[in-house]
Amino acid sequence: QVQLVESGGGLVQAGDSLRLSCVVSGRTFSSYTMGWFRQAPGKEREFVAAISYGGFSTYYADSVKGRFTINRDNAKNTVYLQMNTLKPEDTAVYSCAAKRQIGVTNLDGYDYWGQGTQVTVSS
């Protein structure tokens, strides 16, 4: 069974940075497309970023482009989300997800989800 565990969230001030991590159990991490999603209180879950199984392709939501960077270390079964210049509107629970489908621009089809980590950005 595939399990995803996020960490790295916290309370920061606007303009600060955070790096989220997501460790994936199992032997097939390097074959998964990985994504980060977030959900703010009272809002629907939204896509943040995705990275291909080999790490060569990435895709970002317009709201985070230029501020957030997704990368992965297949030797450590870990995907990261580096978040810079954080804004109060970035406050949300951030979850990582994995899918066997190839393609970072297809926002659907994620098979496995983590529980999420809270990110709170104060103004």
Side-chain angles (χ1 to χ4, degrees):
Q1 186 173 352
V2 178
Q3 292 185 325
L4 290 73
V5 179
E6 303 93 337
S7 62
L11 172 62
V12 297
Q13 293 187 334
D16 286 350
S17 297
L18 274 177
R19 188 177 80 155
L20 305 183
S21 300
C22 172
V23 178
V24 182
S25 65
R27 302 177 183 177
T28 56
F29 173 76
S30 61
S31 66
Y32 293 136
T33 298
M34 297 299 299
W36 283 98
F37 293 76
R38 67 186 182 186
Q39 186 166 19
K43 295 187 177 181
E44 293 192 354
R45 183 171 61 198
E46 65 172 351
F47 168 79
V48 175
I51 187 166
S52 61
Y53 63 91
F56 299 111
S57 296
T58 57
Y59 185 62
Y60 297 93
D62 287 342
S63 58
V64 306
K65 200 172 297 183
R67 299 188 298 123
F68 290 13
T69 302
I70 186 171
N71 56 26
R72 66 191 295 161
D73 185 339
N74 285 346
K76 295 183 178 180
N77 279 22
T78 303
V79 61
Y80 304 96
L81 184 68
Q82 177 66 44
M83 306 186 295
N84 297 330
T85 319
L86 283 161
K87 304 176 181 179
E89 51 263 43
D90 294 319
T91 295
V93 174
Y94 284 72
S95 300
C96 64
K99 63 176 178 176
R100 290 172 290 232
Q101 290 181 10
I102 296 174
V104 294
T105 59
N106 180 1
L107 308 187
D108 298 323
Y110 284 86
D111 303 295
Y112 308 103
W113 293 84
Q115 291 297 311
T117 184
Q118 176 71 46
V119 172
T120 303
V121 185
S122 63
S123 57

